[in-house]
Amino acid sequence: MAGPEQSQQQQQVEEKAEHIDDAEMALQGINMLLNNGFKESDELFKRYRSQSPLMSFGASFVSFLNAMMTFEEEKMQMACDDLRTTEKLCESDSAGVIETIRNKIKKSMDSQRSGVVVVDRLQRQIIVADCQVYLAVLSFVKQELSAYIKGGWILRKAWKMYNKCHSDISQLQEACQRRSSLNQESLTADNANHNAPVENCVTAEALDRLKGSVSFGYGLFHLCISMVPPHLLKIINLLGFPGDRLQGLSSLMYASESKDMKAPLATLALLWYHTVVLPFFALDGSDTHEGLLEAKAILQRKSVVYPNSSLFMFFKGRVHRLECHINSALACFHDALELASDQRELQHVCLYEIGWCSMIELNFEDAFRAFERLKNESRWSQCYYAYLTGVCQGASGDLDGASGVFKDVQKLFKRKNNQIEQFAVKRAERLRKTTPTRELCILGVIEVLYLWKALANCSASKLQIMNQVLQSLDESSCRGLKQLLLGAIHKCHGNMRDAIQAFQLAAKDEYGRQINSYVQAYAVYELGCILLAKPETVGKGRSLLLQAKEDFTGYDFENRLHVRIHSALASLKEVVPQ
């Protein structure tokens, strides 16, 4: 919630507008945003967006952040429009830097003016590339083939711009370093300054900021590419080589420590990667320990700058959830929810996590309330939220209420090509036709916990309850799914012998393949991952991963599994060079 402190901060920023450049104002605007001054930050960026590429980019970023927190079609389209507007401003000859900068240029010598122009030109090119990356991310989140292809071509353009900017900035930095190493006494001011080349007039501080600026997009670029399945990379001929995840993380870390306006954004990107992407896609195997340590270190370092930030409180909750401290996670998400009282998008993200943490705790009533509110308030995927509402309501014992919600799922099905909504409709239809029981609804909860990589966050006692419920089920139509979920629970317990046995049964269940089309592919993948852990079975594990990738097609969440297979194979190559 934006209180007196944020309003005072905004007033101070505006009072200083005549004395600072747009780079400093943009950085303060972003910090204002992260300290819960969402409205004030948005207003500041919008006020100056037509006068400065940096301020226009700040406004577009706020729009992009809202879209990424909600995934609502309307906000995603708005973000795309804003990003394209920023691109046009940066590519326009008439676009100038903020008025105070123009005044400074007028008062400068010709050589100094040239230096500012060089910085401005590079800044605009970096912003255009950043906009391209954000547009690609907005395409990728749709998880559709056409979106991957479109996003790929956008990234290709961005990559060329990053390379050019990085090369130009590196050359300027080298020239700056050579100049600083010269003996100043050996230079005569008249000869040295009168015909000084342009790079002599770009300060080291400005170059360091630009390097941080280009490193942000460059790092995000590498992370995005490293998550795209290899077969899609071939289709779109994206770059000819896979993204370097480690290089991406290194660049984001550099950007996060810079004085550029995107330094706080790089920090958020690192937290997002370590607490959301890494666990969900099972990158670097299933071990997220190092990522959590890095996330905790980042949160500790930034706690002074952002003491009551709802966004940082949210990521703190994500860390607690991944460490299986669910009560602490829930406390953080509730605190973030209160701090973001005037930011609907962030509230919905917090409600989503509250719903998931409640499912992890098998607290179906609280999960039902969170998802029902999302179903009624969110404009993203009411179909998906309705399904989660229904299974949680049924799992709590309210079967009549759940039946009514399952009927609504089909009515709320709007995005025909969205795999999550397709999954929700199929599952709701099955439960509606077979007359839902409490056990079948709990099965539905366990299934989404598995598909969204959340079973590992469950306590041993909760996993044991899930095991008992699954053992009691004797529905022939979900026999394969039952074995897949039992295998996953055994794996969480560290009981690999029983896990392998269950996954093998799931992989052989042909009837279940017709009903739960993803079960066999995921079971083979799970078997492969277990075998990769032992040196003597690495070869067999690799073969199973390739089998899961090549022998199955057209099943639910196929792209999601391909990303995980790609990551597992890539990690294997790092350990055992091919």
Side-chain angles (χ1 to χ4, degrees):
M1 180 176 178
E5 291 183 4
Q6 280 74 38
S7 299
Q8 185 178 5
Q9 185 180 11
Q10 181 192 19
Q11 184 178 358
Q12 290 173 347
V13 170
E14 293 177 1
E15 287 175 353
K16 293 179 180 179
E18 297 180 0
H19 308 292
I20 64 175
D21 59 24
D22 54 350
E24 185 177 344
M25 182 184 287
L27 177 58
Q28 292 194 30
I30 292 296
N31 281 330
M32 189 188 299
L33 170 75
L34 300 190
N35 275 317
N36 307 322
F38 299 99
K39 181 180 178 182
E40 293 81 0
S41 174
D42 190 34
E43 290 174 352
L44 178 67
F45 282 124
K46 286 180 177 177
R47 180 172 296 115
Y48 295 105
R49 70 179 306 165
S50 63
Q51 302 175 41
S52 160
L54 274 174
M55 297 301 284
S56 178
F57 175 74
S60 295
F61 173 76
V62 173
S63 180
F64 171 78
L65 185 63
N66 284 337
M68 290 304 295
M69 285 194 295
T70 63
F71 295 113
E72 293 177 3
E73 290 289 344
E74 179 184 342
K75 291 192 178 294
M76 290 177 70
Q77 185 58 52
M78 185 183 300
C80 287
D81 293 341
D82 288 342
L83 289 165
R84 292 190 179 103
T85 298
T86 297
E87 279 189 277
K88 289 179 181 178
L89 178 66
C90 291
E91 293 168 349
S92 170
D93 291 336
S94 62
V97 292
I98 207 162
E99 187 65 31
T100 52
I101 298 301
R102 287 201 292 265
N103 291 336
K104 289 181 180 180
I105 293 176
K106 291 176 184 177
K107 297 176 183 178
S108 299
M109 298 172 62
D110 289 344
S111 60
Q112 291 173 318
R113 184 185 301 116
S114 298
V116 174
V117 169
V118 169
V119 171
D120 185 51
R121 174 180 60 81
L122 287 168
Q123 184 67 77
R124 294 189 196 196
Q125 292 175 350
I126 294 169
I127 290 174
V128 170
D130 287 336
C131 288
Q132 293 290 315
V133 170
Y134 286 170
L135 287 166
V137 171
L138 289 170
S139 290
F140 285 146
V141 295
K142 296 178 181 178
Q143 297 187 16
E144 300 167 4
L145 180 59
S146 60
Y148 276 117
I149 296 173
K150 179 181 178 182
W153 284 113
I154 295 174
L155 279 181
R156 187 177 187 128
K157 177 182 175 182
W159 174 244
K160 291 180 179 179
M161 298 186 73
Y162 283 135
N163 263 345
K164 179 67 166 61
C165 290
H166 191 277
S167 175
D168 289 348
I169 294 169
S170 296
Q171 290 178 21
L172 288 170
Q173 283 183 317
E174 290 172 5
C176 186
Q177 290 169 359
R178 286 197 302 269
R179 187 176 73 250
S180 65
S181 66
L182 293 175
N183 186 343
Q184 295 297 321
E185 294 180 1
S186 69
L187 298 175
T188 61
D190 291 339
N191 292 333
N193 294 329
H194 183 66
N195 295 313
V198 169
E199 59 264 23
N200 283 5
C201 305
V202 182
T203 65
E205 183 181 3
L207 291 174
D208 288 343
R209 185 183 66 77
L210 286 174
K211 190 66 171 290
S213 181
V214 75
S215 294
F216 173 68
Y218 182 78
L220 268 186
F221 172 87
H222 273 289
L223 286 186
C224 284
I225 299 304
S226 70
M227 292 184 287
V228 176
H231 71 286
L232 294 179
L233 281 175
K234 294 177 182 177
I235 293 174
I236 59 181
N237 190 25
L238 193 58
L239 289 173
F241 62 91
D244 186 334
R245 196 180 312 142
L246 295 179
Q247 178 62 58
L249 292 172
S250 175
S251 296
L252 284 174
M253 185 60 71
Y254 181 95
S256 72
E257 298 301 324
S258 74
K259 295 183 179 180
D260 186 69
M261 68 169 287
K262 286 174 282 188
L265 309 185
T267 299
L268 286 181
L270 287 166
L271 289 171
W272 167 74
Y273 176 78
H274 289 306
T275 66
V276 179
V277 176
L278 190 66
F280 181 72
F281 285 111
L283 304 174
D284 297 327
S286 59
D287 183 13
T288 61
H289 180 66
E290 288 187 13
L292 287 179
L293 290 178
E294 184 60 36
K296 290 170 76 172
I298 292 171
L299 289 168
Q300 180 65 33
R301 288 198 303 270
K302 301 299 181 180
S303 60
V304 176
V305 185
Y306 309 108
N308 296 306
S309 168
S310 54
L311 278 168
F312 279 82
M313 186 64 69
F314 167 81
F315 283 117
K316 186 178 179 181
R318 284 290 305 179
V319 169
H320 281 307
R321 172 181 157 179
L322 293 169
E323 291 182 325
C324 303
H325 302 153
I326 305 303
N327 288 332
S328 297
L330 280 166
C332 287
F333 292 134
H334 279 292
D335 286 345
L337 182 68
E338 184 177 352
L339 288 167
S341 59
D342 61 348
Q343 181 66 10
R344 185 177 66 91
E345 293 80 9
L346 188 52
Q347 279 194 319
H348 288 172
V349 174
C350 295
L351 280 171
Y352 185 73
E353 288 293 337
I354 289 170
W356 275 89
C357 285
S358 299
M359 283 199 298
I360 287 169
E361 285 289 282
L362 302 184
N363 185 342
F364 303 121
E365 291 85 358
D366 285 356
F368 158 69
R369 281 191 288 270
F371 291 128
E372 184 183 41
R373 182 174 164 186
L374 284 170
K375 177 177 75 73
N376 295 331
E377 295 182 10
S378 175
R379 290 192 295 272
W380 173 55
S381 178
Q382 291 176 306
C383 170
Y384 170 55
Y385 290 141
Y387 175 68
L388 293 179
T389 300
V391 291
C392 290
Q393 191 170 7
S396 69
D398 183 3
L399 297 176
D400 291 336
S403 296
V405 174
F406 290 138
K407 292 177 182 177
D408 292 337
V409 173
Q410 178 65 50
K411 300 174 186 176
L412 297 170
F413 183 35
K414 296 178 180 178
R415 298 185 292 171
K416 307 301 180 183
N417 295 323
N418 183 277
Q419 57 182 331
I420 294 176
E421 293 202 0
Q422 290 173 348
F423 168 81
V425 167
K426 284 189 285 187
R427 285 295 183 269
E429 186 67 12
R430 273 189 56 209
L431 285 167
R432 189 179 67 82
K433 286 184 176 180
T434 58
T435 306
T437 64
R438 187 165 185 262
E439 289 72 23
L440 284 174
C441 288
I442 295 175
L443 172 70
V445 171
I446 300 171
E447 181 182 28
V448 293
L449 288 174
Y450 167 75
L451 287 170
W452 269 258
K453 303 292 290 184
L455 280 180
N457 305 148
C458 299
S459 66
S461 61
K462 297 297 188 274
L463 289 171
Q464 186 58 40
I465 293 173
M466 295 180 199
N467 190 317
Q468 293 171 358
V469 173
L470 291 172
Q471 294 287 4
S472 69
L473 282 169
D474 196 28
E475 295 277 343
S476 60
S477 61
C478 57
R479 192 172 297 149
L481 175 61
K482 167 184 171 179
Q483 293 300 328
L484 175 67
L485 299 179
L486 282 172
I489 290 171
H490 288 312
K491 185 179 176 182
C492 290
H493 277 307
N495 187 354
M496 295 306 170
R497 182 176 179 179
D498 287 346
I500 290 174
Q501 184 178 1
F503 287 139
Q504 286 174 336
L505 289 172
K508 294 176 182 177
D509 187 62
E510 288 295 334
Y511 176 74
R513 183 178 187 179
Q514 301 171 16
I515 308 299
N516 308 297
S517 59
Y518 73 88
V519 169
Q520 284 190 314
Y522 274 70
V524 173
Y525 159 77
E526 294 285 3
L527 282 170
C529 288
I530 290 177
L531 296 180
L532 283 182
K534 293 184 178 180
E536 63 270 22
T537 56
V538 166
K540 177 62 175 174
R542 184 175 184 276
S543 296
L544 286 171
L545 289 178
L546 292 173
Q547 180 185 343
K549 174 185 173 184
E550 296 167 2
D551 288 4
F552 304 94
T553 185
Y555 54 88
D556 292 331
F557 304 114
E558 182 175 355
N559 285 340
R560 185 180 296 186
L561 185 62
H562 277 209
V563 171
R564 293 174 181 171
I565 293 171
H566 173 49
S567 173
L569 291 173
S571 298
L572 180 62
K573 289 178 181 178
E574 292 174 5
V575 177
V576 184
Q578 300 297 308

